[in-house]
């Protein structure tokens, strides 16, 4: 078992978090001694930088782009990629690893030992989902909540392994004041930071409400890093309409820049809200581990999915979708220095167990059972 072919129907590079997770997994599998190939469709992407440079990963695996019709409609594009995979040349002794249930089924039919990585139990087409996975050899779940769903439906070839972080990216670097100056961030205010996409289930609206409630307090500056162009237009309009001079929407930043922004923060927010089963039970946000590695205090929603990693010893947990609770948590994180020191120290200790390398080791141990 020395070859892994990771098949992903994604644009590469992509600004979305699944791109980071996939390439970091490939890097970690290769670091463990496997010959790894990432097989993706030849889709156009607005990001022209080399994927290895964009994601700051070692060139210890290869990326092969399969010539496939790049339709604007994702379903049509996925169909063409699927058809190309029927005849794609893949070493017969290779383990096929994928996050697509359809691809997992196809490769198992083709006779490959197949690993399906699941990040949720689907709300729709559940019977089809279960049918397609009946031949798959292994199911890796991103959370205990996800694995529980599979177990309740009779699957026993499962193992839960949360996401991870590259700790090397968080080694001590520039002075915080110098970093803030270089990144055009305020040097004399308490920075409350959120990183990631500006999706509603991520709790961004709760943070915006917190910014509204505290806009008269000149001590605080709310900084949002991430978001698509469409979402940025929307939130910048809200900022203008509500006169939120205490908020900054910076847009997407390269992955290698994220640790620098986190280093500038005084408080980090993880305000997920339980508006879906995915947010409440299944999610394993990469930013949880990045936050922990940054050495900054975390204020997070008290939800089952979050509690798999965070607790009262390494973060400040607040009621989800509670603006008052978020503000109270921000005050505690920025003012109670003794407690802040304790939880950040514990978070740094805990995150050592959540590297991409250790994640790969756990998965490979599961495959060797």
């Amino acid at each position: 078992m020395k070859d892994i072919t990771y098949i992903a129907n994604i644009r590469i590079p992509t600004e979305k978090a699944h791109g980071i997770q996939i390439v970091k997994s490939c890097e970690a599998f290769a670091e463990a001694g496997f010959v790894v190939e990432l097989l993706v469709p030849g889709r156009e992407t607005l990001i022209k930088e080399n994927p290895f440079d964009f994601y700051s990963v070692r060139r210890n695996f290869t990326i092969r782009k399969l010539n496939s019709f790049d339709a604007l409609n994702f379903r049509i594009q996925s169909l063409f990629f699927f058809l190309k995979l029927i005849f794609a040349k893949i070493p017969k002794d290779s383990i096929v690893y994928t996050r697509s249930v359809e691809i997992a089924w196809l490769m198992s039919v083709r006779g490959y030992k197949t690993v399906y990585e699941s990040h949720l139990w689907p709300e729709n087409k559940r019977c089809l989902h279960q049918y397609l996975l009946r031949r798959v050899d292994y199911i890796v779940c991103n959370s205990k909540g996800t694995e529980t769903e599979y177990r309740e439906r009779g699957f026993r070839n499962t193992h839960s392994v949360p996401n991870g972080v590259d700790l090397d990216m968080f080694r001590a670097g520039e002075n915080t004041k110098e970093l803030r100056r270089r990144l055009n961030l305020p040097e004399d205010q308490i920075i409350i930071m959120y990183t990631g996409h500006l999706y509603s289930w991520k709790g961004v609206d709760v943070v915006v409400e917190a910014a509204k409630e505290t806009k008269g307090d000149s001590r605080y500056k709310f900084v949002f890093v991430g978001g698509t162009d469409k979402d940025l237009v929307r939130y910048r309009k809200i900022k203008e309409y509500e006169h939120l001079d205490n908020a900054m929407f910076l847009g997407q930043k390269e992955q290698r820049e994220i640790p620098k922004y986190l280093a500038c923060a005084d408080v980090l927010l993880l305000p997920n809200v339980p508006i879906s089963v995915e947010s409440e039970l299944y999610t394993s946000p990469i930013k949880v581990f990045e936050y922990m590695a940054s050495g900054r205090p975390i204020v997070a929603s008290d939800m089952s999915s979050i509690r798999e990693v965070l607790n009262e010893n390494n973060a400040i947990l607040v009621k989800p979708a509670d603006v008052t609770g978020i503000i109270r948590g921000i005050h505690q994180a920025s003012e109670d220095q003794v407690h802040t020191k304790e939880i950040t120290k514990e978070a740094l200790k805990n995150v050592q167990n959540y590297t991409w390398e250790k994640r790969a080791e756990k998965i490979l141990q599961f495959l060797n059972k």
Side-chain angles (χ1 to χ4, degrees):
M1 195 171 71
K2 282 295 179 182
D3 284 13
I4 292 178
T5 301
Y6 198 131
I7 305 178
N9 184 21
I10 64 170
R11 299 181 188 276
I12 191 77
T14 173
E15 75 284 356
K16 295 185 178 180
H18 62 239
I20 300 168
Q21 200 258 5
I22 289 169
V23 297
K24 285 294 184 182
S25 296
C26 289
E27 178 188 43
F29 287 141
E31 191 67 18
F34 284 75
V35 176
V36 179
E37 179 180 68
L38 174 58
L39 182 58
V40 297
R43 299 172 63 188
E44 286 294 322
T45 173
L46 296 176
I47 303 169
K48 301 306 178 185
E49 191 174 3
N50 182 284
F52 295 97
D53 296 330
F54 181 79
Y55 293 114
S56 297
V57 294
R58 293 183 287 278
R59 287 173 165 78
N60 59 358
F61 65 97
T62 59
I63 299 176
R64 174 159 58 113
K65 293 191 175 183
L66 202 60
N67 188 22
S68 177
F69 182 63
D70 188 13
L72 292 177
N73 184 291
F74 180 71
R75 289 184 178 180
I76 295 175
Q77 181 275 321
S78 298
L79 175 60
F80 274 90
F81 184 55
F82 184 88
L83 294 173
K84 293 289 286 190
L85 288 173
I86 294 175
F87 305 102
K89 291 184 178 180
I90 298 171
K92 288 305 296 181
D93 59 348
S94 183
I95 291 179
V96 172
Y97 197 106
T98 184
R99 287 176 45 161
S100 165
V101 65
E102 294 84 5
I103 293 172
W105 173 82
L106 172 63
M107 291 301 147
S108 63
V109 169
R110 288 191 60 184
Y112 290 96
K113 189 174 287 293
T114 308
V115 184
Y116 170 62
E117 180 172 309
S118 178
H119 289 231
L120 53 78
W121 180 262
E123 291 294 306
N124 301 311
K125 300 180 180 179
R126 295 179 176 183
C127 292
L128 176 61
H129 188 83
Q130 187 153 349
Y131 172 80
L132 292 176
L133 290 178
R134 78 195 192 286
R135 299 172 56 115
V136 170
D137 298 283
Y138 307 97
I139 300 174
V140 173
C141 301
N142 71 316
S143 69
K144 292 177 182 176
T146 303
E147 184 179 31
T148 297
E149 295 291 339
Y150 279 87
R151 289 276 173 169
E152 288 180 352
R153 287 158 178 81
F155 290 96
R156 293 293 176 264
N157 55 337
T158 66
H159 187 49
S160 65
V161 189
N163 282 318
V165 67
D166 183 349
L167 293 179
D168 289 338
M169 296 179 68
F170 291 85
R171 305 303 179 195
E174 297 178 58
N175 175 275
T176 300
K177 281 192 174 183
E178 293 175 358
L179 260 181
R180 286 191 178 191
R181 191 178 302 119
R182 187 164 66 82
L183 298 175
N184 295 316
L185 294 172
E187 299 177 41
D188 56 353
Q189 288 179 286
I190 296 171
I191 292 181
I192 316 301
M193 186 174 290
Y194 168 89
T195 66
H197 279 291
L198 307 180
Y199 301 146
S200 59
W201 69 275
K202 299 282 189 179
V204 175
D205 292 332
V206 179
V207 182
V208 171
E209 287 299 319
K212 290 181 187 178
E213 293 291 330
T214 59
K215 65 181 180 181
D217 192 334
S218 60
R219 293 177 300 167
Y220 298 117
K221 178 71 80 173
F222 288 80
V223 177
F224 299 80
V225 180
T228 62
D229 291 342
K230 180 181 178 180
D231 288 333
L232 285 169
V233 168
R234 175 182 170 229
Y235 281 100
R236 283 169 178 166
K237 283 183 178 179
I238 293 174
K239 167 184 163 68
E240 183 179 357
Y241 180 79
E242 298 287 350
H243 304 290
L244 298 180
D245 296 331
N246 62 339
M248 301 174 67
F249 292 91
L250 304 183
Q252 289 283 347
K253 302 297 175 183
E254 293 183 10
Q255 180 62 20
R256 59 175 169 262
E257 295 294 307
I258 296 301
K260 297 175 184 178
Y261 281 92
L262 296 179
C264 293
D266 294 290
V267 181
L268 297 171
L269 300 183
L270 189 73
N272 288 28
V273 292
I275 63 174
S276 68
V277 179
E278 180 181 359
S279 61
E280 190 169 6
L281 298 177
Y282 302 152
T283 187
S284 175
I286 292 175
K287 68 166 147 283
V288 169
F289 310 104
E290 293 177 340
Y291 281 9
M292 295 170 75
S294 72
R296 298 296 187 266
I298 304 167
V299 177
S301 294
D302 190 355
M303 294 166 54
S304 297
S305 56
I306 303 302
R307 270 195 176 271
E308 289 191 21
V309 180
L310 298 181
N311 53 60
E312 290 83 0
N313 296 321
N314 57 20
I316 296 171
L317 300 180
V318 300
K319 184 179 177 181
D322 184 354
V323 176
T324 302
I326 284 280
I327 294 173
R328 191 183 301 118
I330 290 170
H331 288 160
Q332 183 181 0
S334 59
E335 296 170 11
D336 188 346
Q337 297 303 312
V338 173
H339 185 59
T340 293
K341 186 176 181 180
E342 289 175 352
I343 62 175
T344 53
K345 181 179 179 181
E346 186 68 13
L348 280 169
K349 176 184 174 183
N350 296 159
V351 80
Q352 305 302 313
N353 296 316
Y354 294 103
T355 64
W356 293 114
E357 289 76 16
K358 289 190 176 181
R359 181 179 189 272
E361 287 175 12
K362 293 173 183 175
I363 291 172
L364 295 173
Q365 287 172 5
F366 168 56
L367 303 189
N368 280 321
K369 284 185 177 180

